[in-house]
Structures are given as C-alpha cells and as structure tokens.
Amino acid sequence: MSKFIAEMLGTMILIILGDGVVANVVLNKTKGQNSGWIVITTGWALAVAIPVFIFGSTSGAHFNPAVTIGLAVIGKFPWNNVLPYITAQLIGAFIGAAIVWIYYRPHFNVTEDHDAKLSVFCTQPAIRDTFSNFICEFIGTFILVFSILGIGNTHMADGVSPLVVGCIIWVIGLTLGGTTGYAINPVRDLGPRIAHYVLPIYKKGSSEWNYAWIPVIAPICGGVVGAILYKILF
C-alpha cells in the first residue's frame, strides 16, 4: 500500500508541476504567459526530479507505465505489481490535472484558444502525421528508459541520481520535444486527457481522442525496446 500511495502521490505532484508550467506559459493573463519552450522543458524536468527525490526510496519512483512495464519485461520488477503501479499512476495523473485546473481556473476562463487549454493537460503534435508522431514518441521513450537504466552503471553520491533523471527529461524536451510535445509517459497524457474530458472547463473544445492512442502505445513500445536493449548490452 505504501508503494501504491507513493506512485499515486508522486505522479500527482509530477502532473501538478508539469501541467502547471504549461498553464503558466500558454494561458492568458498569467505572470508567465509566453515565456516559452525553455521554461516549459525546465519546469517538466524539475517536475520529475522532485517526486523522485521524495518517493524514490519507497516505490522506485516510476511514475510512468513505460518504465514499469520495461523493467518488468527484463526481470527488474515483479509483474504482479505492474497493474497496481499503473493504476496508482493513472489516478495520480488525473488528480494532478484536476488540481491544475482548479489552480488556474480564472485563466482558463479568459483563454479562448481551445488548443492552448488542451495543451495544458496533454500532448498534441505540431504536424499531424501518424507514423512520424508514433516514431517520435517511441524514440523519446526509448532514450528515457535506456538512459534511466544506464545511469545506474555510474557510481553517484547520494541524492544525485534524481537530478540526473531530471536532466534526461530536460534534454529530451529541449532536443526531441518539438514534434509531439514529448509525452514519453502514457499516464502523463491519458490521465490529464481524461480530466480535460470530464471537467467543466470553460469552452474547452475537443479532447482529441483520435490522437490519444499514440502517446499511450508508442511510449510503452519504446520503453520495452529500450529496456531490452539495455539488458542485451549490459
């Protein structure tokens, strides 16, 4: 139960801070409006690192089904814990997104751009191309999982590894995030997308369910391949 709660709360904090930085940049009349992509990518990197610091020793700080399933495939995580972890992650992601809406509700109410409102919650491709969008999410998550496993080969002082994980997220966003918004995490996209769909957001527009399968399936595939390649090489 402590691991379930850790995964739920950790994912919730990740989404509060990650979706929160997007809201701060794209919604009208915020102090951070139009502050740009570097602010968003930096915010997301720290949004991942902080709950890793808090919950890493409790649950391993997955917060991502692509990580959970990838580790299970290579025997580094028990399969009987996979569904509870993913359930906790999805619940946490939904709650986190709902909190962001409550926090920024006045700014949602003065923002007319439907796409901007949706982008607070979940990803959208810059250019809609199913194959390319899938490959981008696959490659980004491959890099994520392979890198997270790989940094374990380097001896680090206590407390450094969460910062390195944050740097991995940061560099993926800076270098690979411009095509699809780098979900690289199924629940990071799906939980908030569900929240967007069910919450009474003012003039919210479509939740884009026709695209939603890509940031769910592609990261899982990329994470599994990244984990398998790591096991083969190391």
Side-chain angles (χ1 to χ4, degrees), residues 99-173:
I99 290 172
V100 170
W101 171 66
I102 293 168
Y103 193 98
Y104 278 98
R105 189 178 59 82
H107 300 277
F108 278 102
N109 291 345
V110 296
T111 300
E112 297 295 330
D113 187 338
H114 298 164
D115 287 339
K117 292 179 181 181
L118 180 61
S119 71
V120 172
F121 293 88
C122 53
T123 61
Q124 305 170 77
I127 297 175
R128 189 66 61 100
D129 182 296
T130 299
F131 177 76
S132 293
N133 300 156
F134 187 96
I135 290 299
C136 290
E137 287 294 332
F138 179 97
I139 292 172
T141 317
F142 170 90
I143 295 294
L144 172 67
V145 173
F146 186 84
S147 299
I148 287 174
L149 289 168
I151 64 173
N153 295 324
T154 299
H155 177 73
M156 300 184 192
D158 290 344
V160 173
S161 60
L163 292 175
V164 178
V165 172
C167 286
I168 294 169
I169 300 295
W170 194 17
V171 75
I172 290 172

Side-chain angles (χ1 to χ4, degrees), residues 19-36 39-40 100 103-111 116 120:
D19 283 4
V21 71
V22 179
N24 192 31
V25 171
V26 306
L27 297 180
N28 287 345
K29 297 187 178 181
T30 70
K31 299 293 186 180
Q33 186 178 7
N34 297 323
S35 51
V39 171
I40 288 175
V100 170
Y103 193 98
Y104 278 98
R105 189 178 59 82
H107 300 277
F108 278 102
N109 291 345
V110 296
T111 300
V120 172

Side-chain angles (χ1 to χ4, degrees), residues 14 17-18 21 37-49 170 182:
L14 186 157
L17 300 177
V21 71
W37 187 247
I38 292 177
V39 171
I40 288 175
T41 56
T42 303
W44 268 109
L46 295 172
V48 173
W170 194 17
Y182 73 117

